[in-house]
Amino acid sequence: MELPELSATAIAKGYRAKEFSAVDVTRTHLSRIEKENKELNAFLEVFDDALEEAKKADARLATGDASLLTGIPIAVKDNILIKGRIASAGSKMLGSHVAAYDATAVARLKTAGALFLGRTNMDEFAMGSSTEHSAYGPARNPYDHSRVPGGSSGGSAAAVAARLAPLGLGSETCGSIRQPSSLCGLVGLKPTYGEVSRYGLIAMGSSLDQIGPMARTVADTQMLFAAIRGEDPNDGTTLPDSSGESVQSKKIGIPRSFIKDAAPDVVQNFETKMRTLAAKGYELVDIEFPSAPYGLPAYYIIMPAEVSTNLARFDGMRYGLHVPAKNLLEEYELSRAEGFGPETKRRIILGAYVLSSGYYDAYYRKATALRGVIAEDLKRIFDTVSYIATPTTPGPAFRIGEKGDPVSMYLEDIFSAPANLTGIPAISVPGGFVEREGNALPIGVQFMSPKRTEGALFSIARDLLGEDE
Ligand code: GLN
């Protein structure tokens, strides 16, 4: 098999069998990037020290004191800080912002010896489902270059799917790992809120954000997750280490009235995958999840509220783009007008509106209450089943420019929202292909499970894909 085809797990094995070196692996990925990235626009920057780092990894591998991630190339979303590197969050506002410290996830990967190939394209400040809101141009879907790879972690998804890297780090606020994973045929995990530190992740919606892994196999996804997770004194919302929870049964709840509006071929594919699982001993149960359709509207109140506060710090004074003007107010105005793109501005305005006195009760408080109702529904559902399954997205990758109406883009995350709003983990697993304009496009199946049961998600994902332990 060609080196870029290998999974991270297979590369780690190859190192131990001395079949190839980290320098070999890095070289072949760099040459893949050289060949493909102009078109795909998955990487915004490829790091100039990747080969140097590969040499160090080889030295470490030779001592025998290496981890499974030593010398494994990884693509990092542009909103996760790597000390001394630009982290622009896909925005002009932070176009020259150099990270002053490592994100905890990055620090842990450095300790493990992982090799950072570069930073990947994304929707500005992680707002979007296509990477079309990047200030640096859209990334493209490797399966059809006229289509989006999804977003906001679309650059990492395109990079991993196109074999430019075996592993990708993404972030989620509502679907930004699962949706691009679905659209690019990858496995992507949104961890339990608090399982992975947010320290060094440029904030979008702090009560929703999580960093998570993207890969081509379940084993790789699990390996990357294991390396980045865990309590962190720098993020007070991280959860104390535990041996992990387990689920009680192999019962899968299917909220049929919630998923009925997905594209007919997507639903059909989903049903086929459910039958595969039934044949492997899972029990399929129809469930009612009446609050689920309200997840997205609640998210589109809560998230902009948090965005408007988190992005207030970009005032042209402390850091970020600075546009000189004749007085302070004008400097604020011009810096923000120039630095932020249209979608970011839309959400800041919406967020300031829903938090303003008079509207706070009508919108923000109601959305927060809905969040509680969804959590109660989930508690009731998880009393009877261990998993909830849905398609990850209502359809496959759409054409660049097709979803100009913001609301039609927002609907991409209809099935993602409940997990982010309630903090439960969810995984997207490759779930077959559907045809659009003569092209076979990947789609994903999503599984959700109770908090801290990522292990159960990995095992159902393995069962679906027929992947060995
Ligand atoms: N598509 C969602 C949004 O636009 C998801 C963002 C995310 O998960 N970072 O807000």
Side-chain angles (χ1 to χ4, degrees):
M1 211 190 260
E2 299 284 324
L3 286 183
E5 287 296 326
L6 294 180
S7 67
T9 315
I11 295 173
K13 271 199 193 120
Y15 287 159
R16 276 142 192 90
K18 306 217 179 337
E19 287 167 19
F20 41 74
S21 67
V23 168
D24 296 334
V25 168
T26 306
R27 271 216 183 96
T28 65
H29 283 99
L30 289 174
S31 75
R32 291 270 318 139
I33 294 171
E34 179 76 37
K35 208 169 133 227
E36 302 284 343
N37 196 56
K38 239 195 189 73
E39 172 73 10
L40 293 177
N41 200 21
F43 282 96
L44 295 177
E45 180 186 356
V46 178
F47 298 146
D48 50 9
D49 65 350
L51 272 178
E52 274 316 300
E53 290 299 312
K55 278 182 200 154
K56 285 188 208 156
D58 279 330
R60 182 166 165 191
L61 284 160
T63 66
D65 172 33
S67 86
L68 282 176
L69 279 164
T70 306
I72 307 289
I74 178 162
V76 181
K77 188 175 179 180
D78 190 32
N79 60 350
I80 302 171
L81 305 190
I82 304 175
K83 189 177 175 179
R85 294 286 175 193
I86 288 178
S88 80
S91 180
K92 209 171 147 191
M93 179 60 89
L94 291 175
S96 53
H97 164 252
V98 175
Y101 61 94
D102 280 327
T104 298
V106 165
R108 290 187 176 167
L109 290 171
K110 280 187 176 172
T111 307
L115 215 143
F116 299 93
L117 279 183
R119 57 188 175 92
T120 56
N121 206 353
M122 57 180 283
D123 289 292
E124 184 176 28
F125 288 101
M127 300 184 215
S129 304
S130 67
T131 73
E132 290 168 289
H133 298 143
S134 166
Y136 305 99
R140 289 171 187 277
N141 191 308
Y143 286 87
D144 176 344
H145 292 183
S146 70
R147 291 174 187 269
V148 304
S152 63
S153 315
S156 287
V160 176
R163 277 61 178 161
L164 311 187
L167 297 178
L169 270 191
S171 72
E172 272 236 11
T173 306
C174 182
S176 279
I177 290 174
R178 284 166 286 163
Q179 185 258 10
S181 296
S182 168
L183 271 42
C184 290
L186 303 176
V187 182
L189 174 77
K190 194 295 274 186
T192 303
Y193 185 80
E195 203 59 55
V196 180
S197 171
R198 287 178 294 115
Y199 184 69
L201 169 67
I202 296 174
M204 178 182 165
S206 306
S207 76
L208 306 151
D209 297 342
Q210 274 292 285
I211 295 176
M214 306 165 87
R216 297 191 297 267
T217 68
V218 182
D220 283 9
T221 312
Q222 190 165 12
M223 171 161 85
L224 184 51
F225 172 62
I228 60 174
R229 61 156 300 283
E231 194 174 5
D232 177 14
N234 286 323
D235 174 359
T237 61
T238 50
L239 299 164
D241 283 329
S242 81
S243 51
E245 311 285 329
S246 57
V247 299
Q248 300 306 316
S249 71
K250 289 182 118 184
K251 279 192 193 163
I252 306 173
I254 304 177
R256 288 220 154 73
S257 63
F258 181 39
I259 65 177
K260 68 174 188 325
D261 293 331
D265 50 359
V266 168
V267 176
Q268 223 172 45
N269 243 285
F270 170 79
E271 296 294 353
T272 312
K273 297 296 167 188
M274 291 305 111
R275 284 196 292 275
T276 305
L277 286 170
K280 293 189 175 181
Y282 286 84
E283 186 185 337
L284 308 180
V285 184
D286 280 351
I287 54 162
E288 295 298 328
F289 189 177
S291 61
Y294 301 104
L296 198 69
Y299 168 74
Y300 273 95
I301 301 290
I302 292 167
M303 170 274 298
E306 295 188 18
V307 161
S308 76
T309 38
N310 272 327
L311 270 53
R313 72 189 69 169
F314 302 109
D315 57 6
M317 288 291 138
R318 284 167 287 191
Y319 47 95
L321 186 81
H322 170 80
V323 180
K326 50 180 193 306
N327 59 47
L328 185 62
L329 180 63
E330 227 173 68
E331 293 205 359
Y332 288 158
E333 289 172 350
L334 291 181
S335 300
R336 286 170 73 82
E338 180 84 2
F340 291 137
E343 182 62 23
T344 303
K345 287 177 187 156
R346 186 189 339 267
R347 297 196 192 192
I348 292 172
I349 293 168
L350 189 62
Y353 178 82
V354 301
L355 289 177
S356 59
S357 83
Y359 295 108
Y360 183 93
D361 284 329
Y363 296 107
Y364 186 73
R365 197 187 296 280
K366 278 218 177 93
T368 313
L370 257 175
R371 200 174 183 173
V373 173
I374 297 169
E376 278 166 29
D377 259 359
L378 282 171
K379 193 172 171 305
R380 175 184 52 77
I381 292 169
F382 286 133
D383 277 342
T384 55
V385 299
S386 295
Y387 303 95
I388 300 172
T390 70
T392 308
T393 52
F398 47 93
R399 282 190 314 281
I400 293 173
E402 186 180 326
K403 296 201 194 261
D405 162 26
V407 175
S408 73
M409 179 93 79
Y410 298 167
L411 283 170
E412 274 293 290
D413 292 309
I414 181 84
F415 303 133
S416 310
N420 300 82
L421 287 171
T422 60
I424 61 169
I427 197 167
S428 180
V429 185
F433 290 83
V434 293
E435 203 187 294
R436 295 289 181 274
E437 296 171 330
N439 264 332
L441 302 171
I443 47 161
V445 171
Q446 161 174 251
F447 299 101
M448 298 173 249
S449 63
K451 281 186 186 166
R452 311 202 79 179
T453 59
E454 279 84 354
L457 292 180
F458 292 129
S459 76
I460 198 169
R462 275 201 170 89
D463 284 337
L464 181 63
L465 298 179
E467 191 181 310
D468 296 334
E469 276 291 329

